[in-house]
Amino acid sequence: IPVDPFDLVIFGGTGDLARRKILPALFRRFCAGQMQEGTRIIGAARAEMDDVDYRAFVAEALIEFNDGHGCEEGTIAAFQRILSYVTLDALGENGWADLAAKMHDGRVRAFYFSVGPSLFGALAEKLHEHGMADSDTRIVVEKPFGRDLSTAKALNRALADHFDEGQIYRIDHYLGKETVQNLMAIRFGNMLFEPLWNSQYVDHIQITVAETVGVGGRGEYYDRSGAMRDMVQNHLMQLLCLIAMEPPAKFEPDSVRDEKLKVIRALDEVLPDQIVRGQYLAEGDKPGYLDHVETTDSTTESFIALKVHISNWRWAGTPFYLRTGKRLKARSSEIAVVFKATPHSIFGPEAGRHRNILTIRLQPNEGIDLDVTIKEPGPGGMRLIDVPLDMTFTEALGPDAEDVADAYERLIMDVVRGNQTLFMRGDEVEAAWAWTDPIIAGWETRGDDPIAYESGSSGPEEALALMHRDGRKWREVR
Ligand code: BG6
C-alpha cells in the first residue's frame, strides 16, 4: 500500500549503515511501488558532495549491497531522481539553513540519526533551532542507545528536550524480522500453545543467536561493547520479551511495549556462576578476536551464555537460557520451548520420558517445528520416538514467503506510517540497561577474563556445563 509523499533525511547519509542497509531498503520499497510521486530522500553528512555525486554514490551502494533483490533496469535511475544531498556539520552551523530550506510543510518528515549516539543530542537541538522539530517530525535512532543506564538516560533526556516519546523511533532491527513478528502470531493467534505457556508445562526456554562472522572491520566499536552490549541488552532481550510477555490487549504500540517492560522488570539478577563469557581464537588463516582490536590483552567478550529467571506468576521456576556468539559453527538463530515430560509413563520405564519441543527458527530457514512423541513403527512393541512436525515457511507458503521485506524496509515504512509497535520505548531501553549494568560491573570489579574458544565451535565448554549442571542440554548449533 503506497504511503503519502514524505521527506526522509539521513544524517550519516554516506556512512556504512546507510550504504548497507538504509538505502537498499528504501530502494526496494521504491521498487515495490510504495513511494508516491514527490517523496524525497535527502542524504546529509560532512563530506563535500552535490546531488549528482550523491546519486552516483547511492547507485554504487545499491549495486554492491542489493543482492538478491532484482529491480528492472532503469529503476536505479528513477530512484536517483528522488535523492538529494546537503553537506552539513552536525556540531557547527554549516548546512543547516540549506536543509531547512528544503523542507516541505504539512507532510511527514523523518530524520534518521545514522550516526554515533554522541551526536544525538546535538542533532535534536539543531533541528529545533532551525524550525524542523514540529509535530510532523519523527526521529529514528539506532543502537547503541547508550552504553549503560546513565548514558541511556542522558540520551533519552536530550531527545525529550525537543521531541515527544511518540516522535522517537528507537530501532532494534530484530523487531523488524519477519519471524520475530511471527512469535506473536504463533503465541496469540493460536489456541494450542498459550494454555501451556507457563512454568507448569514449560521446563525451560533456550534462545540462541549464533553467528559465523567475526568482528571483522568493526573491532574498534565492538571492543568497547562486547556481546553483552552489542547483542544481549537489545536483540536477545527483545526476543525474551516477546516469548515471555503476557498477551497485550491489542497489537498496538503501548499495549505491546507495556507488556515487554514488565518482563524486563521481572528479570532476576544474574549471578556470576550463571553466566559464561568467551572470546574466539584464530583458526588457520582466519584471525582471532585479538587480531581485530588494538588492545592485545582485551578482555571483551564475543560470546555469552547465561541463565536467568523471570520472577512473576507465569514463569517462576522456569529458567531461560540465552546464548549468542561470533565465529561459531553455524549461523543459526532459534528459540526452543522445551516442555516438561509427561508426569507418568504408562509404557513403563524402558519407554523413556519424552519431551515436546517447539522450535521457532528465526534464521536461516525460517519456520517452526514441534517434536511430537509417537510409537516407533514396527513389531518391536511400544517403543517411543520423537518426530518433528516441521514447517519451513517457504515450503508451506511458496515463493511469497521468500520475498518478504527485510527488517529495515518494514521498520522505515513503519516510521513513515507512524506505527511505533516494533520500536523500543525509552523506559524499555533503560530497564534493559538496569538489568545489564550490574552484570558488566561485576566482571569489571572481579577482573573476570573471557574464556578462549575455538572458532567454528559452539563456544566454550563452560557454556555446556551451565546447562549440564541443571540436567539439561543446549540444542545443537547447526
Ligand atoms: C547487530 C550487531 O546489531 O546485529 C552485530 O551489532 C550483529 O554485531 C548483527 O552481527 C546481527 O544481525 P543479523 O540480522 O545478521 O542477525
Side-chain angles (χ1 to χ4, degrees):
I1 310 169
V3 295
D4 289 342
F6 60 90
D7 287 344
L8 173 69
V9 177
I10 310 173
F11 293 122
T14 55
D16 202 47
L17 184 72
R19 288 169 62 237
R20 282 174 189 277
K21 297 285 183 187
I22 304 172
L23 290 160
L26 287 164
F27 176 58
R28 292 194 291 268
R29 288 298 90 205
F30 177 83
C31 294
Q34 219 171 13
M35 294 181 197
Q36 295 205 25
E37 188 71 39
T39 291
R40 298 179 318 157
I41 295 165
I42 303 162
R46 239 179 350 208
E48 294 286 343
M49 274 196 205
D50 59 17
D51 292 350
V52 176
D53 300 333
Y54 192 60
R55 287 174 184 148
F57 167 89
V58 173
E60 265 178 42
L62 296 180
I63 290 161
E64 189 173 349
F65 295 111
N66 200 38
D67 52 4
H69 294 267
C71 269
E72 273 95 66
E73 237 174 81
T75 43
I76 290 194
F79 183 64
Q80 281 178 317
R81 286 195 280 278
I82 73 171
L83 296 172
S84 59
Y85 183 80
V86 178
T87 303
L88 178 128
D89 178 1
L91 299 173
E93 279 312 306
N94 189 26
W96 285 97
D98 300 344
L99 183 64
K102 278 183 179 257
M103 294 292 111
H104 286 160
D105 282 336
R107 54 156 67 186
V108 166
R109 262 182 214 161
F111 294 93
Y112 201 126
F113 291 13
S114 176
V115 294
S118 59
L119 292 179
F120 290 178
L123 290 176
E125 178 77 40
K126 290 281 189 208
L127 287 173
H128 169 77
E129 242 175 63
H130 290 270
M132 290 179 273
D134 60 22
S135 58
D136 291 326
T137 301
R138 292 166 197 169
I139 60 171
V140 185
V141 292
E142 271 287 340
K143 71 175 262 262
F145 198 80
R147 55 178 286 107
D148 53 21
L149 178 58
S150 74
T151 47
K153 277 189 171 167
L155 286 177
N156 275 335
R157 271 197 307 270
L159 298 179
D161 281 346
H162 304 296
F163 298 97
D164 293 338
E165 183 61 34
Q167 297 176 282
I168 305 172
Y169 291 72
R170 294 178 195 77
I171 287 211
D172 182 312
H173 79 280
Y174 266 55
L175 289 176
K177 287 183 189 272
E178 185 71 12
T179 331
V180 173
Q181 293 170 72
N182 239 327
L183 284 179
M184 285 183 276
I186 290 165
R187 283 194 61 193
F188 306 127
N190 293 285
M191 197 54 208
L192 195 59
F193 302 118
E194 199 54 25
L196 307 179
W197 213 260
N198 56 54
S199 59
Q200 204 182 336
Y201 296 102
V202 177
D203 178 72
H204 73 276
I205 292 182
Q206 304 185 13
I207 303 179
T208 298
V209 177
E211 299 184 277
T212 48
V213 291
V215 298
R218 298 164 73 222
E220 197 193 325
Y221 150 77
Y222 194 90
D223 204 42
R224 279 181 281 113
S225 304
M228 195 68 184
R229 290 189 173 97
D230 184 54
M231 296 294 286
V232 179
Q233 186 271 348
N234 36 75
H235 306 327
L236 276 84
M237 179 68 74
Q238 291 296 322
L239 298 178
L240 173 69
C241 286
L242 297 179
I243 272 288
M245 72 183 180
E246 295 301 313
K250 289 193 174 143
F251 189 55
E252 281 182 354
D254 283 333
S255 292
V256 173
R257 300 188 296 179
D258 287 346
E259 296 308 333
K260 290 198 292 170
L261 180 62
K262 288 184 208 160
V263 173
I264 307 176
R265 290 198 171 146
L267 289 176
D268 279 2
E269 187 190 340
V270 176
L271 303 175
D273 65 346
Q274 295 172 336
I275 186 160
V276 175
R277 309 163 75 209
Q279 195 183 66
Y280 64 83
L281 292 166
E283 184 205 12
D285 55 357
K286 284 195 183 156
Y289 181 81
L290 293 177
D291 301 318
H292 292 297
V293 295
E294 300 221 321
T295 23
T296 48
D297 55 354
S298 165
T299 59
T300 301
E301 77 287 349
S302 59
F303 175 96
I304 290 277
L306 66 85
K307 167 173 146 179
V308 65
H309 280 277
I310 302 175
S311 282
N312 65 14
W313 196 271
R314 184 188 283 259
W315 291 118
T318 295
F320 286 71
Y321 297 90
L322 274 50
R323 163 176 72 155
T324 183
K326 298 209 181 285
R327 271 288 160 72
L328 297 180
K329 210 182 203 172
R331 176 172 187 253
S332 147
S333 304
E334 62 166 45
I335 299 173
V337 181
V338 181
F339 289 91
K340 291 189 172 169
T342 50
H344 161 70
S345 169
I346 66 166
F347 309 108
E350 61 283 6
R353 303 277 300 285
H354 292 252
R355 297 168 189 279
N356 300 116
I357 303 177
L358 174 70
T359 310
I360 301 151
R361 292 192 302 271
L362 304 176
Q363 60 191 25
N365 204 12
E366 289 87 341
I368 57 175
D369 75 56
L370 177 63
D371 284 356
V372 180
T373 305
I374 60 163
K375 177 186 169 299
E376 190 177 41
M382 206 52 183
R383 277 220 283 276
L384 303 182
I385 51 168
D386 297 328
V387 178
L389 276 178
D390 192 345
M391 179 171 71
T392 297
F393 294 146
T394 46
E395 280 169 17
L397 305 172
D400 281 358
E402 258 172 283
D403 199 26
V404 287
D406 96 341
Y408 276 91
E409 291 176 61
R410 175 170 300 112
L411 293 175
I412 295 172
M413 294 325 279
D414 276 358
V415 173
V416 175
R417 287 193 206 94
N419 183 352
Q420 287 187 307
T421 311
L422 300 177
F423 295 83
M424 293 179 298
R425 209 167 54 192
D427 50 4
E428 258 185 89
V429 179
E430 290 184 12
W433 281 121
W435 175 78
T436 318
D437 276 3
I439 302 176
I440 298 176
W443 295 331
E444 283 166 5
T445 39
R446 288 191 305 275
D448 283 359
D449 286 341
I451 301 164
Y453 63 93
E454 301 288 333
S455 289
S457 69
S458 319
E461 291 286 316
E462 285 75 355
L464 307 180
L466 179 74
M467 284 196 90
H468 281 163
R469 277 204 310 258
D470 296 346
R472 303 185 171 104
K473 65 174 198 298
W474 289 105
R475 289 170 57 79
E476 211 179 315
V477 175
R478 40 190 168 141

